[in-house]
Amino acid sequence: MSPKKNDQHFSRRDFMKATSLAGGGLLIGFTLFESCKPGAEPAIDLASLNYNDFNAFIKIADNGAVTIFSPNPEIGQGVKTSMPMIIAEELDVNWEDVFVVQAPLDAKNYDRQVAGGSQSIRHGWEPLRKTGATARQMLVNAAAAQWGVDPSECTSSRGVITNSKGETLTYGDVVNQAAGMEIPEDVKLKSVRDFHIIGQEIPNVDIDEIITGKPLFGLDYKKEGMFYACVARPPAFGQTLDAVDDSEARAISGVQDVVRFGDKVAVIATDTWTAMKGKKALKLSWKSDAALESTEDHHKILTGLLDGKSFETLRKDGNVKKAFSSADFVLERTYESPFLPHNCMEPMNFYADVTSEKIHLVGPIQTPKGTAERVAQVLEREVGDIHLEMTRQGGGFGRRLYGDFVLEAAEISNLSGKPVQVVFSREDDMADGIYRPAIKYRIAASVKDGEVTGYHLKEAAINSNMYGLIPNFFPAGALENYQVDVAKFDSKITTGAWRAPYTNFLAFAEQSFFDELAEMMETDRIQLRLDLLDKVKGTTDDRIQYSPERMQKVIRTAVDKSGWGKAPDGVYQGFSAYYCHNSHVAEVADVVIEDGAPVVKRVVCVVDCGIVVNPLGARNQVEGGVIDGIGHAMYGDFAFSNGAPQSLNFDGYRMIRIKDVPKVETHFIKNTESPTGLGEPTLPPAGAALANAIKAATGKRLYNQPFITELKDLRIPEKEIIG
């Protein structure tokens, strides 16, 4: 069984637009993804459209230069490079002749101008290819008309069109004529074997600007006459603003205004330092109407939920109670993870200039369309009044899905009448986060006559509302008796998506559990997984998204590439395999003992994500995901006391450091399947591979994150767990 293909249907007339450029050349506009809506009204006067009227487009100049506007937010996942690569491939030009520009928000033309869920390339694959191929065919048709031959007698290659006589024309030679030609309904896409851009290692299109410090990121944005705002927010979740004394803040030279909105107070100044200084000078009093939450409370609450009976059942196959009652033995384990902040390198920030005529927004946001709609609602304006430009983002990891900082900027500008950029300090970023929720999982499995007969997963979470496809991931479909139950506690602490939502911890829990289950069964841990996957083959259950065949291949490849079972003395290995974001991943971690402490030296990661568009960028994503997964599983901890975060900067919050980072070996399964997700899938299995390797090295089974807390029980004197 293979993962389901995208159920997307595209009309050429719906997503293609073409017009001549005033200075000569061809402009191809296209609407992408699910926004290619049947019945969408085409523009009446295409010649009057300017660049901002398209959500993304190709611009071809009469000298042959090609500009491709990249529509999706760039948060470091590489779509500003890889999405234009797909267009350029089918357009059949030299990558050296391509210029890439970030497109602004255009909610009119398509829905998925989003960076989230590792879905940009997966959803864009077909429409991006068709857009490039359609432009190429228009250029070929123009050349054929100029020669007076049938287009079938012409071929294109690297921006040059050739006829059967060997005569040639460049794209620049025919681009003006092509602009007036009819858009073809049916175009032929390239064969994978003919790709010359896709599959090549293409450097990030912004790399020169990044390493030379050119303005790219939200914090780089400058505009004449703009001001800066820092915001005082409740110091604890559950508190509200009672009284404000801003006299000392207003007396500081450079402070322009102090604005109260809701339970927040903004200090507006001529520069960020003065705004921060003014914020510290505010005298604020806070109140709370109920008891404030602490980490100890959450431990008890989550345990109570697991022990209780108030669950929502997300999937129930067979009868797990019956399977457990007749089993030779039942293994049950509980796993716990803390809240986690996102800690993007670039703290939250956004620029807003609200006037009676327009709302101009600029900055780093993963969800520009939804955020613009929220701004319009809060300010009681029309969405059409908003022009939102996206900058490159210094990290997102899910935090920039939520536009709270954009709303702050818009409200402050609206109230003050000034163009402002809201800037979070690192302390603001950690104290007013939208955190990964604290979660506990309880997993139980029954074994009868050497076979796994039942599996029961219970989740208890803080504010959990994104269960998604988790109940249909492995081992769903492999067992006759299978059940997934969830329960949540509604907290005032804000929570949301954090890189690879929920699977980031669930993968550790489940894959650690399977290793321990194999030990109890006295069977091979790899074979246990392979045997369960065999049982999924041929299923007609449409809920199952993963492919057992593809999962087995990444497992076997990881076993081979890592030298599983053949490690030299003193090297202990741990295995993990997981499917999420439409991709299949297997990882093996190598751990040694140095000075009495386990040290992770190497992680071998095998990924099946379909066609790899840009191997250079893809490896960066794989390695980053593995390192992120290891770092947060090992060190990430975030506590609350009376509703207030207890860590406000990196002196009190441990992240992985350069000396902790293992060597990551990446292997991609080569196939011709359409691309799937890559920004997140390698993070979830990393923690389990490490935990299973630590078990092999120390004999200690880990059940809670961060691991460093549990490893203190080993009584390693004055020795950090490092990589």
Side-chain angles (χ1 to χ4, degrees), residues 334-337 505 508 633 702-708 710:
T334 301
Y335 305 83
E336 183 172 7
S337 68
F505 177 64
F508 154 69
L702 302 174
Y703 298 101
N704 304 312
Q705 293 183 1
F707 299 158
I708 194 169
E710 285 206 273

Side-chain angles (χ1 to χ4, degrees), residues 291-331:
L292 303 177
E293 302 166 30
S294 297
T295 294
E296 293 74 16
D297 303 323
H298 297 139
H299 285 302
K300 295 175 182 177
I301 289 167
L302 294 177
T303 299
L305 288 174
L306 288 179
D307 292 338
K309 297 181 180 180
S310 298
F311 287 96
E312 177 186 357
T313 298
L314 300 184
R315 176 164 176 153
K316 184 176 182 179
D317 301 339
N319 189 327
V320 292
K321 288 185 178 180
K322 185 176 180 180
F324 287 3
S325 66
S326 61
D328 294 332
F329 70 87
V330 174
L331 177 67

Side-chain angles (χ1 to χ4, degrees), residues 148-218:
V149 301
D150 191 272
S152 63
E153 298 178 31
C154 305
T155 59
S156 66
S157 178
R158 316 294 177 102
V160 176
I161 303 162
T162 305
N163 65 20
S164 58
K165 297 179 181 180
E167 298 172 316
T168 62
L169 289 168
T170 68
Y171 284 2
D173 293 332
V174 298
V175 66
N176 292 320
Q177 185 175 355
M181 302 197 73
E182 183 179 353
I183 299 172
E185 278 291 323
D186 297 307
V187 294
K188 184 178 180 180
L189 300 179
K190 280 186 175 182
S191 170
V192 173
R193 65 176 178 272
D194 295 328
F195 287 167
H196 68 93
I197 294 176
I198 292 173
Q200 298 302 307
E201 299 202 341
I202 305 294
N204 189 311
V205 294
D206 288 335
I207 192 63
D208 290 341
E209 287 81 1
I210 291 172
I211 63 177
T212 58
K214 298 287 177 59
L216 276 174
F217 300 91

Side-chain angles (χ1 to χ4, degrees), residues 402-434:
Y402 308 96
D404 50 296
F405 46 95
V406 186
L407 266 67
E408 287 184 351
E411 288 187 81
I412 294 166
S413 177
N414 185 53
L415 291 169
S416 67
K418 296 177 174 63
V420 299
Q421 184 184 58
V422 165
V423 178
F424 282 45
S425 66
R426 176 59 60 193
E427 288 80 6
D428 293 333
D429 212 51
M430 293 184 71
D432 197 58
I434 297 179

